[in-house]
Amino acid sequence: MASLEVPTSPLAPVNKFVKDVVATPDRHPSPQPTHFSVPYKNGNGNGHRVLRSATVGYIAPEFKGKKAQMLQVKGKIEEAAWIPDPMIDEQINWFYNELGIDDVYFQLENVDAIVSHVTSLYAAKIAAFARKDKRDEIRLDMEAADHAIYIDTSEPGISNISGPRYEHRLEKKYLDASTQNSSYRVETFRSPTNLSGTTASKSTMRCYFVYQCMFVDPKAGPTETRLEVIADRMFLAKATKNTKQIYQEIIDLAVSRNGPVIEVFDIEGSKEKRLVVAFRRKTASGMFSALSDLYHYYGVTSSRKYVEQFSNGITVICLYLKPAANLESKKFPPLEDSIHQITKEISLLYCIPQNKFQALFASGRLSLQETIYGHCLWVFVQHFLNRLGSDYASLVSALDKDSSAHVEILSNIKRRLRTETFTAGYIFEIIESHPELIRTLYASFANIHLTLGPGYAEDWVPPAPSAEVLSDKQIGDLITKTVDNEHEEVVMNAFRIFNKALLKTNFYTPTKVALSFRLDPAFLPEIEYPQPLYGMFLVISSESRGFHLRFRDIARGGIRIVKSRNKEAYSINARSMFDENYGLANTQQRKNKDIPEGGSKGVILLDAAHQSKGSVAFEKYIDSIMDLLLPAASPGIKNPIVDLYGKQEILFMGPDENTADLVDWATEHARKRGALWWKSFFTGKSPKLGGIPHDAYGMTTLSVREFVKGIYRKLELDPSKVRKMQTGGPDGDLGSNEILLSNEKYTAVVDGSGVLVDPNGIDRNELIRLAKKRVMISQFDLTKLSKDGYRVLVDENNVKLPSGELINNGTLFRNTFHLRDSGLTDSFVPCGGRPESIDLSSVGKLIKNNKSTIPYIVEGANLFITQDAKLRLEAAGCILFKDASANKGGVTSSSLEVLASLSFDDEGFVQNMCVGADGNPPEFYQAYVKAVQEKIKDNARLEFEAIWREHELTKIPRSTLSDTLSVAITKLDEELQKTDLWKNEKLRRSVLADALPKLLLDKIGLDLIIERVPDNYLRAIFGSYLASRFVYEFGSQPSQFAFFDFMSQRMESVQ
């Protein structure tokens, strides 16, 4: 037997890429570079290990009661009298000895079930004989909680789309539903004979057996790899020694990898190939049945298939593949080449196992890449097709933007245009009806991005796209000639927009876990997106879709995961996803006025069927974006990509909704993948990795509180007498810290669990208890409420309030409580809630007799109130400070955390910024955190005073002034970075010395910081510091001499 030792030097596969397949017009090879995780040398010259046939697979333990069972089965069949006596022995012998069912089935199944199966199969034979077409056809299934059996007839090498689809059924019911506590393994084989026991028919029988796993150790950890600990007991009893060794090796690899591990083995004395794929459970739903479609596409069938689950979370699929003898062999490449193509495509299949156009692939009309490309464009089109168009632009210019009635009309029209024109289903129907256009558009896409850099062997260069490559104009003409109406033309032309906007993608990277696309956002219409984006990433996986948007090269912002309660909520979230992402990033841009980084944001929307897979979706999102940020360093694993952007990109990210506990993984993963910027990649990481957690130190709340306290200070209010409402409860970061730091009289708190109200003031000690425990108001001790107080939870209905009012629906009450005129609120601080919770259509509920029912609002939560609603509230007398000003404390903390990580080398960073195993933070870390807190409060006070002063002078709404100040600072910042002021070394060093934290300067020194921190980052520090200090002092519309005076004083100080 061939040695199983891993060779010390890597060996690229020596197979040539399939070239003769393109001669067949309806079937094309998929140009997807391959990766063999552990290549081997052998006499076959194909890099596969050779297995002796006697050592391959499984050997079922002998069932010693088999003969006695056969007699019992015979007796029951005779008793039932469904099968003629002369035929009984023949049918039982055929079932027991000729179908290839192993002894485990007979040992586990009871006699009555076996009788039922034998009788059903006989009945199917009679039915087939009676059919006019004489087709041999059987569909038998039996499902139980702990096992299942499916038997079907089908033609080898062909996906029977109109059949019972048993693979999809067992996959959905058992495999994809597997958890650590309840997992299922599958054994399936194709019988060598057909239903009649002859070879006249092309159709043969395939049997599927599903068994619930019985792990040796059901609670094994994710890093445990010992087979004798993590395996199912039946697998250990049946698998040969060689099979166990193979599984052990592939599991060792899979545990340390994010994507699939693929191995191919030759079997001695056989034409069969053994293909083994391992991946993390729950990361590739639909993979088992998708693999069947994949090998059928290349004219290959399987004689046996196994799916094994392991208690450490690894799934291993093992396929025994051979050419389908019943198919015309000249249509397909030789088996060796087919297997090579299949292994190349598994990584792409893993990203999206069941794409929207799977039927076009299963039927052979399009290749795997063409359908997955179509799937990705289906996603793209949904977000960028429902644009408003020239008619909307004309309407905007015709109406008065200062009229609230006109603005409300525009808002409603905009919402309807976005949601009613092209639905996801309608877009899918259009794309599906034009497979030939998908092929042509894919050819254009592949022609640009399917290229490798210099220095890589020719073997790694795939063939040209399967369709003729046309120019963009030719494609446009072809679309016009092919489509039936204007809607179809608009949809298919969106593919052209995508192809032209694409700067780089990991679509052709051999190993990947999701598909990522870096787009030039210039295609976005200015009327809808007046602030131009700098960069856009689109990420698509089987669990989610995601965007990352930024307004500057150096930009910072959090990554959030959006979940949906039901399919309707998902549809709404999907429609608004990009606009919400743009709005969040734009808010971040304005919020980041005091720091070097511009604004960015990432949003991951979980698919409706994958709401529990937030961590899987996040990991795929991060890893696939990193594919486009890091240079390729390992041929066959990460090959060079076509980079039309042509410059180094570094993204700075942080935690947001539903991602706070995933930040450490992202940091460690960046280090594992060799990113030099791993220390600064994510902020909000745990202190052991040098992070400054916002929630632990109340960083965001410190900024919000300065604006709240500023109002009370200016109006000379006693906070203890101010009645306060807060959305976002004691379970959240902002909400809990707001409770802990505040001293107002709380009258209402709204969170995810419901509404808590007490007109006499909610018990402060009980609120503090919840805030410290980080739990919702559902855990509030109701005995602490006064007689007028109440709580209504979202799952409660028909609740009677102390006032006598009846609340029919708790969820609706929670969602709209902040809009009620309760007469209990002086100050409102939104610390949580969905964006646009107060918009132009709902803001009227907060205005009575042209006066705001809430005197003071400080918007802690991002985008809680739309800008037009803010202006209405201010016009009605509300003192309101918007999110971009109030909650910038978190971004200031993040920026200073990044600065420390860039300034220290790895050793200094660990010594001074990383909390050790004993939990004690370094002395420098403690001092630095305090300095960050003071900086946050100083910046907030500066902006508060500037906005208050400007409003007093100009009467311009504070919400407008906030944006005006932000725009003035960011615009001046960008201009300063481009001027010759940066080249003045004395000025540069003087500004940096003032802008950089004194603690860092004392610890590291200015010269070393300048040496270590990237030049474009230092420029950003220089520009943002000068710009913010100037605007805060002189306002957003200073005199033409103000900046000259400001800089003259600065220059004098450095002479």
Side-chain angles (χ1 to χ4, degrees), residues 527-823:
I527 189 169
E528 296 175 59
Y529 304 101
Q531 183 76 11
L533 283 169
Y534 181 90
M536 177 195 300
F537 287 85
L538 168 63
V539 177
I540 301 171
S541 73
S542 57
E543 298 83 13
S544 68
R545 62 185 69 176
F547 285 101
H548 185 275
L549 309 178
R550 74 190 201 272
F551 281 93
R552 279 200 205 159
D553 182 17
I554 301 294
R556 163 162 305 288
I559 309 297
R560 66 170 50 181
I561 295 174
V562 176
K563 297 182 177 182
S564 311
R565 280 179 171 265
N566 48 46
K567 287 187 177 180
E568 182 184 359
Y570 172 77
S571 297
I572 293 169
N573 288 335
R575 285 197 296 268
S576 62
M577 176 188 178
F578 182 82
D579 286 351
E580 181 177 316
N581 196 160
Y582 178 89
L584 289 166
N586 203 5
T587 299
Q588 197 78 29
Q589 170 78 351
R590 296 192 298 273
K591 192 191 303 183
N592 288 11
K593 60 178 79 69
D594 298 324
I595 64 174
E597 301 96 335
S600 72
K601 210 74 174 182
V603 173
I604 302 168
L605 175 65
L606 295 177
D607 283 352
H610 297 289
Q611 292 299 299
S612 63
K613 295 185 178 178
S615 61
V616 171
F618 177 83
E619 290 176 11
K620 290 185 175 184
Y621 174 90
I622 294 298
D623 189 70
S624 60
I625 286 180
M626 290 179 71
D627 285 343
L628 304 184
L629 302 179
L630 296 171
S634 32
I637 297 176
K638 297 293 181 186
N639 287 351
I641 61 173
V642 175
D643 186 358
L644 302 181
Y645 178 67
K647 294 181 282 185
Q648 183 188 20
E649 281 189 288
I650 301 176
L651 301 184
F652 298 103
M653 300 179 179
D656 206 310
E657 289 180 14
N658 300 310
T659 61
D661 58 342
L662 302 172
V663 168
D664 280 6
W665 176 88
T667 303
E668 295 282 18
H669 190 64
R671 176 157 59 177
K672 180 181 172 184
R673 287 201 56 175
L676 297 176
W677 31 261
W678 69 269
K679 301 192 297 296
S680 59
F681 183 40
F682 257 87
T683 54
K685 50 191 177 288
S686 66
K688 69 177 182 180
L689 291 171
I692 302 175
H694 298 175
D695 55 351
Y697 297 106
M699 297 303 193
T700 306
T701 310
L702 286 171
S703 179
V704 174
R705 288 302 302 166
E706 286 301 317
F707 280 84
V708 174
K709 290 190 296 183
I711 294 173
Y712 301 160
R713 185 175 66 250
K714 293 290 185 182
L715 300 180
E716 299 181 349
L717 299 175
D718 179 357
S720 65
K721 295 179 181 178
V722 174
R723 298 170 302 169
K724 179 177 177 180
M725 176 172 66
Q726 178 179 311
T727 56
D731 60 312
D733 166 13
L734 191 54
S736 63
N737 281 305
E738 179 67 22
I739 289 170
L740 294 172
L741 293 175
S742 66
N743 55 352
E744 298 98 328
K745 177 183 177 180
Y746 272 94
T747 51
V749 176
V750 182
D751 69 8
S753 68
V755 178
L756 181 69
V757 176
D758 195 330
N760 301 312
I762 300 172
D763 187 279
R764 177 159 179 76
N765 291 331
E766 179 65 3
L767 273 182
I768 289 173
R769 182 184 73 83
L770 298 184
K772 287 182 175 178
K773 287 183 68 177
R774 286 292 180 90
V775 294
M776 293 186 177
I777 58 169
S778 56
Q779 297 192 32
F780 187 91
D781 182 356
L782 295 181
T783 64
K784 302 291 178 69
L785 289 175
S786 73
K787 63 180 178 61
D788 300 317
Y790 61 85
R791 184 186 67 189
V792 180
L793 301 179
V794 291
D795 54 0
E796 293 179 333
N797 298 316
N798 300 318
V799 179
K800 192 173 184 180
L801 303 185
S803 64
E805 181 184 358
L806 186 67
I807 304 303
N808 295 319
N809 184 292
T811 300
L812 183 61
F813 185 66
R814 188 276 311 269
N815 291 346
T816 57
F817 181 83
H818 62 281
L819 298 171
R820 289 169 65 94
D821 180 16
S822 64

Side-chain angles (χ1 to χ4, degrees), residues 276-325:
V276 186
V277 184
F279 52 89
R280 283 267 174 208
R281 190 163 54 238
K282 296 284 189 184
T283 63
S285 298
M287 187 74 166
F288 178 63
S289 58
L291 281 168
S292 298
D293 292 336
L294 178 58
Y295 61 71
H296 287 165
Y297 185 82
Y298 290 103
V300 174
T301 188
S302 63
S303 58
R304 289 171 287 166
K305 296 192 282 190
Y306 300 91
V307 181
E308 298 293 354
Q309 309 281 6
F310 296 89
S311 61
N312 65 349
I314 297 294
T315 295
V316 180
I317 299 177
C318 180
L319 312 174
Y320 290 80
L321 302 176
K322 63 181 181 180

Side-chain angles (χ1 to χ4, degrees), residues 65-75 92-93 96-97:
K66 191 172 182 180
K67 287 185 179 179
Q69 187 188 67
M70 290 174 73
L71 290 174
Q72 288 180 282
V73 169
K74 181 178 179 181
I92 292 174
N93 181 64
Y96 270 81
N97 299 320

Side-chain angles (χ1 to χ4, degrees), residues 312-386:
N312 65 349
I314 297 294
T315 295
V316 180
I317 299 177
C318 180
L319 312 174
Y320 290 80
L321 302 176
K322 63 181 181 180
N326 53 298
L327 299 180
E328 193 177 343
S329 60
K330 65 181 181 181
K331 278 190 173 185
F332 304 99
L335 179 64
E336 192 70 49
D337 293 338
S338 292
I339 296 295
H340 189 58
Q341 289 291 131
I342 291 165
T343 56
K344 288 187 299 173
E345 299 198 355
I346 287 174
S347 179
L348 183 63
L349 193 71
Y350 173 84
C351 295
I352 309 175
Q354 298 289 334
N355 71 73
K356 286 293 290 184
F357 304 99
Q358 192 78 11
L360 292 174
F361 171 52
S363 62
R365 296 182 67 189
L366 290 176
S367 71
L368 180 64
Q369 300 87 326
E370 288 163 344
T371 54
I372 288 185
Y373 167 78
H375 176 101
C376 294
L377 269 292
W378 169 73
V379 173
F380 174 84
V381 170
Q382 289 175 57
H383 295 289
F384 301 109
L385 193 62
N386 289 335

Side-chain angles (χ1 to χ4, degrees), residues 726-977:
Q726 178 179 311
T727 56
D731 60 312
D733 166 13
L734 191 54
S736 63
N737 281 305
E738 179 67 22
I739 289 170
L740 294 172
L741 293 175
S742 66
N743 55 352
E744 298 98 328
K745 177 183 177 180
Y746 272 94
T747 51
V749 176
V750 182
D751 69 8
S753 68
V755 178
L756 181 69
V757 176
D758 195 330
N760 301 312
I762 300 172
D763 187 279
R764 177 159 179 76
N765 291 331
E766 179 65 3
L767 273 182
I768 289 173
R769 182 184 73 83
L770 298 184
K772 287 182 175 178
K773 287 183 68 177
R774 286 292 180 90
V775 294
M776 293 186 177
I777 58 169
S778 56
Q779 297 192 32
F780 187 91
D781 182 356
L782 295 181
T783 64
K784 302 291 178 69
L785 289 175
S786 73
K787 63 180 178 61
D788 300 317
Y790 61 85
R791 184 186 67 189
V792 180
L793 301 179
V794 291
D795 54 0
E796 293 179 333
N797 298 316
N798 300 318
V799 179
K800 192 173 184 180
L801 303 185
S803 64
E805 181 184 358
L806 186 67
I807 304 303
N808 295 319
N809 184 292
T811 300
L812 183 61
F813 185 66
R814 188 276 311 269
N815 291 346
T816 57
F817 181 83
H818 62 281
L819 298 171
R820 289 169 65 94
D821 180 16
S822 64
L824 299 175
T825 306
D826 301 318
S827 176
F828 177 28
V829 183
C831 294
R834 296 301 298 155
E836 302 185 7
S837 290
I838 301 175
D839 61 12
L840 201 56
S841 62
S842 61
V843 71
K845 295 177 181 178
L846 296 176
I847 298 172
K848 205 170 187 179
N849 299 324
N850 293 322
K851 187 173 182 181
S852 172
T853 59
I854 302 176
Y856 324 118
I857 299 177
V858 176
E859 188 183 26
N862 283 325
L863 302 180
F864 188 84
I865 311 171
T866 61
Q867 180 70 1
D868 42 18
K870 290 187 182 87
L871 296 176
R872 284 284 301 277
L873 285 166
E874 291 205 60
C878 180
I879 296 176
L880 190 152
F881 287 92
K882 69 184 296 181
D883 51 356
S885 294
N887 74 358
K888 62 182 181 177
V891 301
T892 303
S893 173
S894 295
S895 180
L896 292 171
E897 182 183 323
V898 167
L899 181 60
S901 70
L902 292 172
S903 301
F904 282 111
D905 59 15
D906 282 7
E907 184 181 353
F909 185 73
V910 171
Q911 288 176 357
N912 293 284
M913 288 297 293
C914 296
V915 176
D918 58 2
N920 294 321
E923 186 179 337
F924 179 86
Y925 180 93
Q926 297 178 61
Y928 195 66
V929 166
K930 289 179 181 176
V932 170
Q933 291 174 321
E934 290 305 314
K935 174 64 76 173
I936 288 170
K937 291 191 280 188
D938 288 345
N939 286 344
R941 279 193 293 267
L942 278 172
E943 183 167 359
F944 175 86
E945 294 294 342
I947 292 174
W948 192 276
R949 183 183 66 245
E950 287 270 305
H951 176 74
E952 292 292 302
L953 290 172
T954 65
K955 303 306 177 186
I956 296 172
R958 295 176 184 85
S959 300
T960 302
L961 287 172
S962 175
D963 291 342
T964 305
L965 285 174
S966 296
V967 170
I969 291 172
T970 52
K971 186 177 179 182
L972 180 58
D973 175 5
E974 290 169 0
E975 290 173 354
L976 285 171
Q977 291 184 47

Side-chain angles (χ1 to χ4, degrees), residues 488-562:
E488 292 185 1
E489 186 170 12
V490 169
V491 169
M492 299 315 297
N493 273 321
F495 281 55
R496 295 170 58 209
I497 293 171
F498 175 88
N499 283 357
K500 287 189 283 187
L502 185 60
L503 298 175
K504 51 185 173 179
T505 176
N506 73 342
F507 196 93
Y508 297 108
T509 300
T511 58
K512 54 191 168 290
V513 295
L515 298 173
S516 55
F517 306 90
R518 168 63 162 93
L519 298 161
D520 179 352
F523 68 88
L524 294 173
E526 185 179 354
I527 189 169
E528 296 175 59
Y529 304 101
Q531 183 76 11
L533 283 169
Y534 181 90
M536 177 195 300
F537 287 85
L538 168 63
V539 177
I540 301 171
S541 73
S542 57
E543 298 83 13
S544 68
R545 62 185 69 176
F547 285 101
H548 185 275
L549 309 178
R550 74 190 201 272
F551 281 93
R552 279 200 205 159
D553 182 17
I554 301 294
R556 163 162 305 288
I559 309 297
R560 66 170 50 181
I561 295 174
V562 176

